Amino acid sequence: MKIYTNDDVSPDAFKGERIAIIGYGSQGRAHASNLKDSGADVVVGLRAGGAGEVKAKQDGHTVLSVADACKDATIIAILTPDMTHADLYKDVIEPNAPKGVAILFAHGFSVLYGRVIPRADMDVILVAPKGPGDLVRREYQRGRGVPSLFAVDRDVSGKASTKALGYARGIGGTIGGVIETTFKEETETDLFGEQAVLCGGTTELVLMGFETLVEAGYRPEIAYFECLHELKLIVDLLYEGGFEKMHSFVSETCKYGDLVSGPRIINEETRERMREVLNDIQSGDFARDWILENMAGRPRYNALMRQDLDHQIEHVGKDLRSRMSWLQNKQAVDA
């Protein structure tokens, strides 16, 4: 497997490009700032009067309307939420995008599921850092980089890969290492990871563990510490050094319980449910459901979110976290 680094990508790879960053959320802010600091010609396209416009101007960017940002661009990076892409592209970007421009995404959802069908003259590329925007920015400022993925869905110019890799270098990705993928692989694995493991799977595991202890008569505060609070300690060890580091830092008793009880909780039935989730993603059923949910005003989404945020573990957690001085200090710094 080829991993692209600074040695493979010229620092002048984006020379002559005008990059329009559309959106100034977590990723948009990081990409725009990193590219600008790398010497790229960057403009930011935003809705007038919004909070993003104020932030972008404070950060020293040239801010234009989305239409005007697109007009002279050679790369247009669409970094707004997925569900905004279809109308934004159709109504504003396509009518103002020059012929031969490259359209860049940080996630392949809109292209894979046909929400955006770029004009035939456009290169269609993807650059996806494997981390949130604040990490992408913070690591760049430290002279480091977050590993990234890149993909080419359509190469009209014959230079689509060069454009994608140049962009990846500009945001710091080639310091962390960049791996080539496809829109399909990036989208389906990203959605699966979020649903089955990182968010959906983890939060449900935490909730069930918490509820099991509380139902058995243990105090919710103790259950919170054991099932949620200490999760970060284990995840950090896994993140830093995989299973080996995690096992080297926990007790022998913990390791034995891990090895004999883990497979009783996460087992073949769990794997079968994961396959069902993956099938829903691969078939497009999840995408269709999410698109229709948005069109209907998100009634199910809102109800499920309220249910999540009103759970006992949230009320207990807020009280306990308010007593953790290191978390209060972190929030002050982040703000």
Side-chain angles (χ1 to χ4, degrees):
M1 178 185 65
K2 172 70 173 177
I3 298 179
Y4 294 84
T5 69
N6 280 352
D7 292 336
D8 303 299
V9 184
S10 167
D12 296 325
F14 46 75
K15 188 175 182 180
E17 307 284 2
R18 165 161 276 211
I19 303 173
I21 301 294
I22 310 303
Y24 207 68
S26 174
Q27 290 292 341
R29 189 178 191 183
H31 290 211
S33 298
N34 290 6
L35 285 162
K36 181 173 180 287
D37 289 350
S38 293
D41 179 10
V42 177
V43 295
V44 179
L46 295 170
R47 173 178 54 86
E53 181 185 36
V54 174
K55 286 182 181 178
K57 287 182 176 178
Q58 288 175 342
D59 291 342
H61 293 294
T62 299
V63 181
L64 304 171
S65 68
V66 174
D68 287 340
C70 291
K71 286 177 180 176
D72 295 321
T74 59
I75 297 175
I76 299 173
I78 304 177
L79 302 178
T80 59
D82 291 331
M83 289 300 112
T84 68
H85 290 185
D87 290 341
L88 181 65
Y89 175 79
K90 180 181 177 182
D91 297 340
V92 185
I93 294 176
E94 185 176 75
N96 292 284
K99 184 176 180 180
V101 72
I103 298 291
L104 182 147
F105 298 85
H107 180 41
F109 186 101
S110 293
V111 172
L112 182 65
Y113 297 117
R115 297 283 288 163
V116 173
I117 303 175
R119 270 191 341 237
D121 61 275
M122 296 176 171
D123 288 342
V124 184
I125 56 180
L126 175 147
V127 176
K130 300 313 293 177
D134 64 332
L135 182 66
V136 173
R137 179 59 176 160
R138 189 165 65 248
E139 288 301 289
Y140 178 93
Q141 290 175 312
R142 292 173 176 172
R144 304 186 301 216
V146 173
S148 301
L149 305 177
F150 89 97
V152 174
D153 187 66
R154 185 197 298 157
D155 184 5
V156 178
S157 69
K159 299 178 180 179
S161 290
T162 299
K163 293 175 183 179
L165 286 167
Y167 186 101
R169 174 163 182 144
I171 64 172
T174 48
I175 300 175
V178 179
I179 298 172
E180 186 169 11
T181 182
T182 64
F183 274 62
K184 178 179 174 62
E185 182 178 58
E186 185 278 332
T187 303
E188 292 178 351
T189 56
D190 187 76
L191 292 175
F192 176 80
E194 291 169 349
Q195 295 174 32
V197 181
L198 305 177
C199 298
T202 297
T203 54
E204 287 304 309
L205 186 66
V206 167
L207 284 180
M208 287 195 178
F210 175 86
E211 290 172 351
T212 299
L213 288 176
V214 172
E215 288 169 1
Y218 298 101
R219 284 174 290 169
E221 293 79 8
I222 305 301
Y224 176 88
F225 280 126
E226 296 304 328
C227 296
L228 191 154
H229 176 80
E230 293 192 26
L231 180 65
K232 179 181 178 353
L233 309 178
I234 300 303
V235 169
D236 282 351
L237 292 171
L238 290 168
Y239 179 82
E240 292 165 7
F243 292 174
E244 182 178 5
K245 183 165 185 177
M246 186 270 285
H247 283 143
S248 70
F249 275 80
V250 300
S251 71
E252 293 297 314
T253 303
C254 178
K255 278 186 272 196
Y256 181 67
D258 165 358
L259 297 170
V260 300
S261 296
R264 298 170 63 192
I265 305 299
I266 308 298
N267 52 31
E268 284 304 314
E269 183 178 352
T270 312
R271 192 193 307 275
E272 188 55 38
R273 300 291 83 74
M274 286 185 171
R275 287 179 179 136
E276 291 175 4
V277 168
L278 181 57
N279 183 66
D280 284 346
I281 293 167
Q282 292 173 326
S283 67
D285 285 349
F286 169 77
R288 284 188 288 273
D289 181 54
W290 177 221
I291 291 164
L292 290 172
E293 178 70 14
N294 276 270
M295 292 173 65
R298 301 188 180 184
R300 183 185 181 204
Y301 170 96
N302 291 330
L304 291 172
M305 184 63 72
R306 285 194 299 271
Q307 179 181 311
D308 237 22
L309 299 182
D310 198 40
H311 194 281
Q312 183 184 18
I313 197 171
E314 278 292 278
H315 299 293
V316 171
K318 284 179 182 177
D319 180 55
L320 291 175
R321 290 191 297 272
S322 71
R323 304 167 192 275
M324 301 176 190
S325 59
W326 63 92
L327 292 181
Q328 310 314 310
N329 291 338
K330 182 179 187 302
Q331 289 167 3
V333 170
D334 290 346

